[in-house]
Amino acid sequence: MSTTWQRRATSRPRTTEAAKIVLVFVIAVGGGLLDHWTMPGPRSLWPVVVLSAVGSGALIRRRRHPLPVLALTTLCAVAEGTMGYLMTPLLFSPLLTAQYSTNLRVSRVTAWGTAVVAATATIVSVVRHSELHSGWIIGVVNPAAWILLSAALGSYVRVRRDYAAARTEHAAREREEEARHRVVQERMRIARELHDVVAHHLALANAQAGTAAHLARTDPEQAYAILDKLSGTTAAALRELKSTVGLLRQESDAEAGDGLAPAPGLGQLPDLVAACATAGLHVSVTEDGEPRPLPPGLDLTAYRIVQEALTNVTKHAATRTARVRLAYTSRRLSVTVTNDTPSARPADGPGPGRGFGLLGMRERALAAGGTFHAGPRPEGGFEVACSLPLDGHPPPAGSSPAGSSPAGSSPAGSSPAGSSPAGSSPAGSSPSGSSPSGSEEGTAP
């Protein structure tokens, strides 16, 4: 019922305002009638009707001109008190309404100053009446208390409205920040996908083309076979690139789901190993524990990390072998990619090239709630290792927290001695298992 009345009041503001003013006028006249019937001595009712009409009519301007309206209603109340009427809250209800409206719209100091002036004026107007000397609480304290209470109520409502407005503004800012955060996260996800697709397939294509050129004179048949597989590598790159970029052209999730192949996962690992073999990289895969179906997001994360690590081995490492180890436990999947690079590999000079492969792998692992480590091995070579939660549990105690690497790893943005951070090489030389400076990653996993 209250909702219906609120809707009607909102839809008819002028009618609602007129009803409020008429109600205040009726209350004020009712206060005059109460005084006329209860107080001794003859008193005319017409002055109360006229003063109540003037004070109630002035309330029409209380929102635009609160201080003049308050002054006029105060003068009407003082006139009523001077004529000996009993100052009840009913009689000077126009003054209480004006005081409430003033405290809603003017500064706190001004509002309370006007409240004190209005209370003092009403007290002065009634203290000279002898019939009120014995009832000074009713005649003096009562008007002042009601005026100050009206001012306090107006201040309270103003604070509540300001608080509600601040909460609304804060919620709007939070929604905007959340929307910007989601946009940034989506851009980063698409950038990682594009990087992984383009870097992997172009690196394999480059390695296959180089191998074919090397064998063109000595073993033409094998060179032709590699070139046949090269077309398959480029076709796979175009398919994945079309699938990723196609998401940006869809207007809805329903459209995005039509005609798109499922995201790759560890089930495509044999195809990845075969593709690396055509580029001259022999990959061995071992599994510890009982394999189990993985959630799509976690499956994609594990596959992309293995893919990027093998891509970097193909591009940067001197060795032509790599090992992939998948270890399943009750709560975690550990993925390790290692290669053995001869320590006698000559170092190359530093170059300006910087890549995002290790940084992208780290972001993928941390986004899944896991840990990530990449760095040279003590016995030579390079290792990429990550641990991913299978059931959303936090990383175990002692593991790398989000945004950092375990001891011996290369944290983003810093270069520990003897290791090369993501996207850079140590000045002057490459550690055992690292790539020559100027490569896309700066290190060879």
Side-chain angles (χ1 to χ4, degrees), residues 222-404:
Q222 187 176 358
Y224 289 145
I226 293 177
L227 290 177
D228 290 338
K229 296 178 180 179
L230 177 60
S231 62
T233 301
T234 55
L238 290 176
R239 283 195 303 270
E240 290 199 34
L241 190 61
K242 180 181 178 181
S243 176
T244 302
V245 177
L247 294 175
L248 303 177
R249 302 174 62 91
Q250 307 300 329
E251 296 183 358
S252 65
D253 293 340
E255 294 180 4
D258 296 338
L260 296 181
L266 293 180
Q268 284 73 40
L269 196 55
D271 297 335
L272 178 61
V273 171
C276 292
T278 62
L281 177 65
H282 300 284
V283 182
S284 61
V285 180
T286 59
E287 292 183 351
D288 297 336
E290 182 180 355
R292 67 190 68 180
L294 301 177
L298 188 64
D299 201 15
L300 175 62
T301 297
Y303 176 82
R304 290 302 190 195
I305 290 176
V306 174
Q307 182 188 56
E308 182 62 28
L310 293 179
T311 299
N312 288 345
V313 174
T314 303
K315 293 166 57 179
H316 306 312
T319 184
R320 308 315 299 165
T321 61
R323 295 182 296 278
V324 178
R325 177 176 176 268
L326 305 176
Y328 294 88
T329 64
S330 60
R331 292 188 175 183
R332 307 188 72 80
L333 168 64
S334 298
V335 179
T336 307
V337 182
T338 57
N339 68 276
D340 298 322
T341 302
S343 57
R345 180 184 178 185
D348 298 305
R354 293 177 182 270
F356 298 94
L358 291 179
L359 180 60
M361 287 188 283
R362 182 187 305 278
E363 289 177 349
R364 285 185 180 275
L366 297 182
T371 60
F372 180 83
H373 161 69
R377 304 167 62 203
E379 62 271 20
F382 202 88
E383 177 182 80
V384 170
C386 70
S387 179
L388 305 175
L390 296 178
D391 49 5
H393 287 270
S399 64
S400 172
S404 62

Side-chain angles (χ1 to χ4, degrees), residues 59 118-119 150 175 231 236 242 308 342 344 376 408 412 419 437:
L59 294 177
S150 178
R175 288 193 295 269
S231 62
K242 180 181 178 181
E308 182 62 28
S419 65
S437 298

